[in-house]
């Protein structure tokens, strides 16, 4: 087995297990998996690149670049993962964002995602799937940019503060890990949900639709999310062009 890290801290941490007999046959490679050349191709590629919104730590880009390390019939673990969204009221989290800057609310604070342990929240409607990625990726053209329009319906009157993000992942066949509220893996606390705030908290009345567009945008150097509410009250695109919140493709 050969664990590959492009993080200096991860390399040091993994090397510290050198005295463990379970690691006696492990060779640690300090490299980017997208550029490393192995002595032979692998039967199984196991990765731990998932974030709270599934693909927000560049798992698609890293695994697409690394699948050349796999044999033609090789297996990727995980083999599939999906992000999910739900509109929520979460006054405490929203107020904490407002109070981040001692000089007053910063406009940039509403153009980024937050990893939050969501408590005392109201979910307006059922959680809905957002983006799905599969590995190995056999698409003729690999494009990890995405866009989706989602529609929800409120059955109460409440303030909409933003959207909660979750994920689930199929590791192999029917083995699933999940932070989706309906299928949450028991006793798993490795990931908390994401929260994508709205710049303006919006009153939603019973029976009104909540329409939102989400984008995953990829360019030559970074990946970012954009989101925009169109109903019940339209708002401008949040984090347009990755102005505030983005993930770099290269370290």
């Amino acid at each position: 087995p050969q664990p590959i890290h492009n993080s200096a801290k991860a390399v040091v941490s993994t090397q510290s297990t050198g005295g463990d007999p379970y690691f006696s046959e492990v060779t640690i490679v300090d490299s980017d998996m997208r550029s490393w050349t192995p002595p032979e191709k692998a039967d199984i590629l196991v990765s731990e690149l998932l974030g709270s919104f599934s693909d927000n730590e560049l798992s698609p880009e890293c695994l697409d670049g690394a699948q050349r390390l796999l044999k033609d019939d090789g297996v990727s673990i995980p083999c599939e993962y999906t992000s999910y969204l739900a509109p929520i009221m979460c006054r405490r989290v929203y107020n904490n964002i407002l109070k981040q800057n001692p000089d007053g609310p910063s406009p940039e604070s509403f153009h980024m995602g937050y990893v939050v342990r969501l408590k005392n929240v109201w979910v307006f409607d059922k959680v809905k799937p957002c983006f799905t990625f599969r590995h190995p990726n056999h698409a003729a053209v690999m494009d990890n940019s995405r866009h989706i329009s989602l529609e929800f319906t409120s059955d109460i009157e409440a303030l909409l503060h933003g959207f909660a993000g979750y994920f689930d992942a199929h590791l192999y066949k029917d083995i699933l890990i999940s932070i989706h509220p309906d299928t949450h893996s028991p006793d798993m606390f490795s990931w908390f949900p994401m929260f994508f705030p709205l710049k303006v908290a919006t009153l939603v009345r019973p029976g009104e639709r909540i329409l939102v567009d989400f984008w995953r945008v990829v360019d030559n150097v970074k990946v970012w999310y954009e989101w925009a509410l169109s109903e019940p009250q339209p708002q401008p695109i949040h984090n347009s062009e990755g102005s505030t919140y983005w993930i770099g493709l290269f370290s």
Side-chain angles (χ1 to χ4, degrees):
Q2 292 181 306
I4 309 165
H5 297 299
N6 66 347
S7 164
K9 291 182 179 178
V11 170
V12 171
S13 177
T14 308
Q15 286 174 336
S16 69
T17 63
D20 191 322
Y22 290 106
F23 285 85
S24 61
E25 300 298 322
V26 173
T27 301
I28 300 167
V29 178
D30 182 3
S31 179
D32 189 320
M33 69 177 71
R34 295 168 292 183
S35 58
W36 180 62
T37 301
E40 60 181 313
K41 290 193 174 183
D43 296 297
I44 302 173
L45 177 62
V46 182
S47 61
E48 201 290 279
L49 296 164
L50 295 172
S52 295
F53 198 49
S54 85
D55 55 85
N56 61 297
E57 294 186 6
L58 302 184
S59 182
E61 287 72 26
C62 291
L63 292 183
D64 284 353
Q67 73 178 33
R68 62 186 178 78
L69 309 178
L70 268 179
K71 294 178 180 177
D72 291 341
D73 60 348
V75 173
S76 174
I77 299 176
C79 58
E80 178 180 318
Y81 40 89
T82 299
S83 55
Y84 297 84
L85 285 166
I88 62 173
M89 177 178 69
C90 51
R91 183 177 298 277
R92 182 175 182 181
V93 174
Y94 198 79
N95 286 342
N96 285 341
I97 294 173
L98 287 171
K99 294 186 292 185
Q100 277 189 115
N101 189 341
D103 298 324
S106 168
E108 290 79 13
S109 299
F110 296 94
H111 294 268
M112 56 179 29
Y114 296 86
V115 176
V116 182
R117 185 176 184 183
L118 293 172
K119 299 175 67 176
N120 301 321
V121 303
W122 175 261
V123 182
F124 283 86
D125 201 352
K126 291 182 179 179
V127 178
K128 294 190 175 182
C130 192
F131 307 135
T132 296
F133 297 89
R134 296 178 179 88
H135 302 285
N137 182 354
H138 297 298
V141 177
M142 292 186 184
D143 181 6
N144 292 319
S145 58
R146 298 285 191 275
H147 168 249
I148 194 168
S149 298
L150 293 173
E151 177 179 331
F152 304 90
T153 302
S154 175
D155 60 1
I156 68 164
E157 181 172 307
L159 278 177
L160 171 64
H161 291 116
F163 295 84
Y166 309 94
F167 84 93
D168 64 23
H170 290 270
L171 300 182
Y172 180 69
K173 295 185 177 180
D174 61 347
I175 300 175
L176 181 80
I177 59 172
S178 173
I179 64 168
H180 186 299
D182 295 338
T183 58
H184 199 293
S185 300
D187 302 320
M188 188 177 75
F189 300 102
S190 301
W191 297 270
F192 292 141
M194 290 283 288
F195 176 60
F196 297 94
L198 292 173
K199 187 174 182 180
V200 180
T202 300
L203 180 65
V204 183
R205 294 182 171 84
E208 283 190 325
R209 296 194 307 172
I210 299 170
L211 297 184
V212 64
D213 284 88
F214 256 77
W215 294 264
R216 186 183 196 268
V217 190
V218 183
D219 69 11
N220 292 329
V221 295
K222 62 183 184 296
V223 176
W224 69 93
Y225 300 103
E226 299 179 2
W227 58 99
L229 184 72
S230 54
E231 289 188 26
Q233 295 293 328
Q235 293 192 29
I237 295 176
H238 293 64
N239 196 40
S240 178
E241 301 297 324
S243 57
T244 300
Y245 169 57
W246 50 271
I247 312 103
L249 287 171
F250 306 99
S251 57

